[in-house]
Amino acid sequence: MAEQTSPPTAHHVGRAQLLVCAGTGCVSGRSLKVREALLEEIDKRGLKDEVKIVATGCQGFCAQGPIMIFQPDGIFYQKLKPEDVPLLVEEHLIKGRPVEKFMYVPSAGEPPIPKLSDIDFFNKQRLIVLRNRGLIDPEKIDEYIGREGYQALAKVLASMTPEEVIDEMTRSGLRGRGGAGFPTGVKWGFTRKAPGDDKCIICNADEGDPGAFMDRSIIESDPFSVLEGMAIGAYAIGASHGYVYIREEYPLAMERLHIAIDQAREYGLLGEDIFGCGLNFDISVFRGAGAFVCGEETSLISSLEGRMPEPRVRPPFPAQSGVWNMPTNINNVETWANVPVIMRRGAEWFSSIGTDTSKGTKVFSVVGNVNNTGLVEVPMGTTLREIVFGIGGGIPNGRKFKAVQTGGPSGGCIPASLLDLTIDYERLGEVGSIMGSGGLIVMDERTCMVDVARYFLEFLVDESCGKCTPCREGVAQMHGILERICAGQGRDDDIEMLIELAEYVKDSSLCALGGTAPNPVLSTLKYFRDEYTAHIADGKCPAGVCKALIQYSISADACKGCTKCARVCPVGAITGAKKQPHTLDRSKCIKCGACYESCSFDAVLVE
Amino acid sequence: MPKIRPEDLEAIAMRMRRQAKLRDGTARARVTVHMGTCGIAAGARKIMTALMSAMEEQGVDDVTLTTSGCAGLCSREPMMTVEIQGEAPVKYVNLDENKTRVIFTEHVLGGNIVADYALGVGSERVA
């Protein structure tokens, strides 16, 4: 066996780690090909168990890319080509002699600013769907092609049968990113096999969860990835037409989508005889009015056909009878955007990322009481703690974390005790929430969980289409009870009644909107029941949110007399001289909380 | 634009890669303003306008000014990325028109990173 260049340290897996830069600069210099060559060579040499190959974020030496760092030696190799790999492995790994001609010495005196790969927000992310974010001009198809765009479609049309495409999708393990998580390949297979001369595919861009903006951002920053994914889907399923159902509230996304479709048509990547390979497929954009229920497939189809957006009983499933009774396959924006990468890099590669049951990555919009709000893409199996505290940078203003809400109005609240939960479809379901489309709302200690449940139910009362009684009446009744509890008029049997109604609404609603509507109530009851009890039995809102149950006062001991609260009070309820403790007149106070938010000394008390 | 065939992809990709690496000799630097809905709402259009007028006033013609989508860190918008030929890209955050003009003069024209306004250097890990 070859001698070791230096003893492996305890935390190293095996004796060496090869960190291949997968930053954009290096990737455009074919670093992924170098990585593949390394994997192959190391496998060939039987070094698989000793040497670990890791893809990293940008090392900041893009001009010398592709870069690879050899650990534990800490040697930088630069401008590597796949054909250099056998020599490198032979010399450095087997014979223990670093290869000088590939070496690079980073110059001293780098400017004192951090590397993106050292910033938690970026280095914990892994970009598949958002691979082109911030890099390409989304209004220029050439820039997309410059980053391997349309190579997947070319490969599929030239070398794969529709059945092979579906099989590849199934083996990749990709599951629907719209919420339910149904295996995409299986869904495609149903529509392909359904009898019918003409078939249809739809991209569901009717993103409706409060605080969610994944789909909007994908279309805004990389519309071509969705179009290419749909063209591949059309070929596999045998569809000649596709629709993008997008909400009117997304003007920029819609504009970029139109531009992208026009450019794709000019290049013959939409329309007749795509790539000269005989595929006929075109896409129209349908502007939805922004009803939440249209995220549900049968409602969306109904709306697309020009009728009221109301769900219908399934079966028949859209795969059998969808738009204008054609077999129809509906996937979410993020699902479609995954397709080209899977086809280009293969099912094995994709399924190596993620957990046993959930493969690939998931895009989340991280919002609420968190320092770094934004759009993040992480491998399935990442913990909530990593998202909230690593990527999200924790809770602002030194406050305590209370809960994270996933899955929008159909999801649930997950408490601090479950922060180490790894995210995948099953784990989230087990704790009473759902993956949903990827909205992730972080809540701090000043959030009242009863009020949160009330908020989501209010949203659902507005958005229920009213077709079936359990959802229309049941959710409204639940909302009424929550309003009463928040108003300080809770009754002893309210919690029992909420649970009873929840079960009834869940079991008997026509579609998923009603079927999941009780989740915000059930999950808050499960983890924060004491808050409900405090509202009902003690007449208190522990988080200090529900106006009917709280009183503000100013602590004479803590108040420094800075006058900030008196200045922000809209009704002049606070008086006091400079540098003297202030007082609050409760008869004037409207409990807006402005003083509470503004005080720098925690002198405004709420009880 | 004519219809393309699979074999045309590589030619387009090569041309774009040369441009992306700024090696075609026409541009010395590229400035990307991140213009997703979040960026625009935070004032990215003003940043774009400030850059355009700075380029016009100073007669700069070897800098490519371009737009892209959201860079992910919506809470720090408006953002832009400055990439000088042969160097790693630098991301700037929480921009306003004044900061933008300083960065344009110091970094884009002068070659010195404005550390006070920079978030970091480098790019993200893809796939």
Side-chain angles (χ1 to χ4, degrees):
Chain A
M1 192 61 237
E3 59 174 24
Q4 291 187 348
T5 49
S6 67
T9 47
H11 60 272
H12 276 115
V13 182
R15 67 174 170 120
Q17 278 193 324
L18 309 184
L19 311 178
V20 182
C21 179
T24 20
C26 289
V27 168
S28 68
R30 303 300 177 88
S31 73
L32 297 178
K33 293 264 188 308
V34 172
R35 185 168 168 266
E36 278 161 28
L38 272 169
L39 283 167
E40 200 178 299
E41 189 68 19
I42 277 159
D43 196 24
K44 211 161 80 189
R45 301 281 191 152
L47 296 170
K48 220 174 169 179
D49 299 331
E50 295 174 50
V51 180
K52 200 175 171 200
I53 294 172
V54 186
T56 71
C58 176
Q59 304 295 326
F61 308 108
C62 309
Q64 277 78 28
I67 285 274
M68 181 181 85
I69 307 170
F70 197 105
Q71 294 289 18
D73 307 23
I75 288 168
F76 273 80
Y77 287 116
Q78 63 169 341
K79 294 182 180 165
L80 289 176
K81 291 191 281 296
E83 50 271 31
D84 300 333
V85 166
L87 177 70
L88 193 74
V89 170
E90 167 84 24
E91 286 293 313
H92 197 155
L93 271 173
I94 309 235
K95 296 184 181 155
R97 297 193 296 234
V99 187
E100 262 184 43
K101 68 168 178 176
F102 301 137
M103 268 162 51
Y104 166 67
V105 185
S107 64
E110 289 285 330
I113 57 169
K115 287 194 205 117
L116 229 54
S117 56
D118 292 336
I119 299 173
D120 280 348
F121 180 81
F122 294 104
N123 67 17
K124 291 187 169 27
Q125 296 194 50
R126 183 162 186 184
L127 308 183
I128 294 177
V129 173
L130 300 172
R131 58 196 177 276
N132 291 327
R133 78 152 169 218
L135 294 166
I136 64 164
D137 183 339
E139 299 181 7
K140 291 185 182 135
I141 193 168
D142 283 358
E143 298 214 357
Y144 178 70
I145 293 173
R147 296 203 16 93
E148 304 194 309
Y150 280 104
Q151 284 186 5
L153 181 63
K155 173 181 166 187
V156 162
L157 293 183
S159 65
M160 292 171 86
T161 64
E163 287 75 16
E164 282 169 350
V165 177
I166 289 175
D167 180 55
E168 189 85 11
M169 285 304 293
T170 309
R171 282 189 299 112
S172 76
L174 176 68
R175 295 169 65 176
R177 299 294 192 243
F182 193 79
T184 306
V186 176
K187 197 171 186 178
W188 287 15
F190 287 154
T191 315
R192 166 141 201 103
K193 284 184 210 122
D197 295 334
D198 208 0
K199 291 171 187 174
C200 178
I201 60 173
I202 295 174
C203 170
N204 183 351
D206 188 56
E207 184 170 53
D209 293 0
F213 50 89
M214 297 75 55
D215 296 346
R216 190 200 73 208
S217 202
I218 293 167
I219 294 177
E220 280 178 6
S221 54
D222 194 10
F224 299 103
S225 65
V226 178
L227 301 187
E228 188 184 0
M230 288 180 75
I232 293 169
Y235 172 72
I237 289 162
S240 64
H241 200 85
Y243 292 95
V244 180
Y245 187 103
I246 184 169
R247 47 178 41 218
E248 181 69 26
E249 289 100 322
Y250 285 176
L252 185 65
M254 213 179 313
E255 185 190 325
R256 290 189 176 158
L257 197 59
H258 278 295
I259 294 171
I261 290 174
D262 287 347
Q263 292 186 356
R265 280 190 190 136
E266 280 187 53
Y267 265 176
L269 297 170
L270 281 178
E272 285 183 7
D273 197 18
I274 292 173
F275 267 147
C277 294
L279 173 66
N280 299 328
F281 174 66
D282 208 349
I283 294 176
S284 347
V285 176
F286 186 92
R287 287 152 47 190
F292 183 65
V293 74
C294 288
E296 197 279 336
E297 335 188 285
T298 58
S299 308
L300 185 149
I301 288 170
S302 174
S303 165
L304 217 152
E305 291 172 341
R307 292 180 286 116
M308 286 281 280
E310 287 177 346
R312 61 164 174 75
V313 177
R314 298 179 298 182
F317 286 91
Q320 268 73 47
S321 174
V323 185
W324 321 116
N325 300 320
M326 284 185 280
T328 301
N329 180 82
I330 304 184
N331 285 130
N332 158 273
V333 172
E334 189 182 335
T335 312
W336 288 119
N338 265 297
V339 174
V341 192
I342 294 173
M343 285 301 139
R344 205 173 70 235
R345 302 198 58 189
E348 280 67 35
W349 169 79
F350 188 81
S351 62
S352 70
I353 304 163
T355 66
D356 287 352
T357 57
S358 309
K359 302 300 185 187
T361 58
K362 180 75 194 81
V363 181
F364 290 100
S365 55
V366 180
V367 297
N369 306 124
V370 62
N371 279 312
N372 301 331
T373 54
L375 199 69
V376 310
E377 180 172 2
V378 289
M380 295 279 188
T382 303
T383 64
L384 281 170
R385 186 184 300 281
E386 243 178 300
I387 296 181
V388 175
F389 289 93
I391 295 170
I395 315 299
N397 306 319
R399 287 179 199 157
K400 273 192 353 221
F401 170 86
K402 186 169 197 174
V404 55
Q405 209 275 351
T406 70
S410 306
C413 294
I414 302 168
S417 59
L418 294 172
L419 263 176
D420 290 309
L421 186 85
T422 53
I423 289 189
D424 71 9
Y425 291 96
E426 278 66 31
R427 299 292 93 70
L428 285 171
E430 282 163 14
V431 300
S433 189
I434 61 166
M435 177 79 77
S437 60
L440 207 150
I441 304 170
V442 183
M443 300 168 182
D444 71 11
E445 56 189 328
R446 289 191 183 179
T447 312
C448 168
M449 301 316 283
V450 186
D451 185 57
V452 166
R454 185 199 58 77
Y455 165 79
F456 279 113
L457 259 65
E458 184 171 297
F459 176 86
L460 289 163
V461 168
D462 282 346
E463 295 292 343
S464 171
C465 76
K467 183 172 179 177
C468 74
T469 317
C471 175
R472 183 185 67 236
E473 298 300 332
V475 178
Q477 289 303 319
M478 291 175 73
H479 176 246
I481 294 174
L482 290 169
E483 288 242 286
R484 223 178 48 231
I485 297 176
C486 290
Q489 289 150 12
R491 299 175 197 149
D492 289 342
D493 62 347
D494 273 349
I495 294 181
E496 304 317 313
M497 180 60 95
L498 277 173
I499 294 172
E500 196 184 326
L501 277 167
E503 295 305 328
Y504 162 71
V505 171
K506 236 178 153 163
D507 291 344
S508 50
S509 289
L510 181 57
C511 79
L513 191 153
T516 57
N519 281 358
V521 178
L522 291 175
S523 72
T524 47
L525 265 174
K526 185 170 173 186
Y527 300 115
F528 301 96
R529 195 178 178 121
D530 54 329
E531 283 194 41
Y532 281 82
T533 323
H535 281 72
I536 298 168
D538 313 334
K540 298 226 182 275
C541 175
V545 172
C546 298
K547 282 187 186 178
L549 300 174
I550 55 170
Q551 293 283 1
Y552 287 100
S553 60
I554 294 173
S555 155
D557 294 337
C559 180
K560 306 270 188 239
C562 75
T563 74
K564 207 168 169 185
C565 57
R567 278 180 280 133
V568 296
C569 179
V571 290
I574 299 176
T575 48
K578 258 185 203 167
K579 297 191 179 168
Q580 296 299 315
H582 284 37
T583 49
L584 186 152
D585 181 353
R586 282 185 179 170
S587 65
K588 287 187 188 162
C589 178
I590 55 164
K591 300 175 187 173
C592 68
C595 53
Y596 184 57
E597 290 298 326
S598 74
C599 184
S600 312
F601 308 100
D602 287 333
V604 177
L605 307 176
V606 55
E607 55 189 310
Chain B
M1 282 190 288
K3 285 194 172 192
I4 60 168
R5 302 208 154 234
E7 51 272 27
D8 301 328
L9 287 176
E10 194 52 36
I12 298 173
M14 287 287 284
R15 176 159 53 82
M16 298 318 292
R17 271 201 289 275
R18 273 201 303 276
Q19 265 182 34
K21 284 190 172 169
L22 301 168
R23 279 179 193 160
D24 58 351
T26 55
R28 194 182 48 76
R30 179 175 50 219
V31 182
T32 307
V33 182
H34 297 280
M35 294 178 90
T37 292
C38 46
I40 292 170
R45 285 199 203 283
K46 283 186 194 160
I47 306 305
M48 194 61 167
T49 315
L51 285 165
M52 282 178 356
S53 54
M55 281 176 69
E56 204 178 294
E57 281 161 24
Q58 303 179 45
V60 177
D61 58 2
D62 59 352
V63 172
T64 308
L65 184 57
T66 182
T67 65
S68 188
C70 167
L73 197 48
C74 310
S75 55
R76 309 286 288 275
E77 298 275 8
M79 291 174 69
M80 70 177 182
T81 305
V82 174
E83 199 176 350
I84 309 284
Q85 187 176 350
E87 290 174 19
V90 177
K91 279 201 163 51
Y92 288 101
V93 291
N94 296 120
L95 295 173
D96 59 30
E97 285 147 299
N98 284 334
K99 288 181 189 173
T100 305
R101 281 176 178 272
V102 171
I103 295 163
F104 188 76
T105 313
E106 294 287 319
H107 188 181
V108 181
L109 299 182
N112 300 311
I113 299 173
V114 186
D116 285 352
Y117 306 150
L119 170 75
V121 63
S123 59
E124 288 181 85
R125 175 161 71 125
V126 290

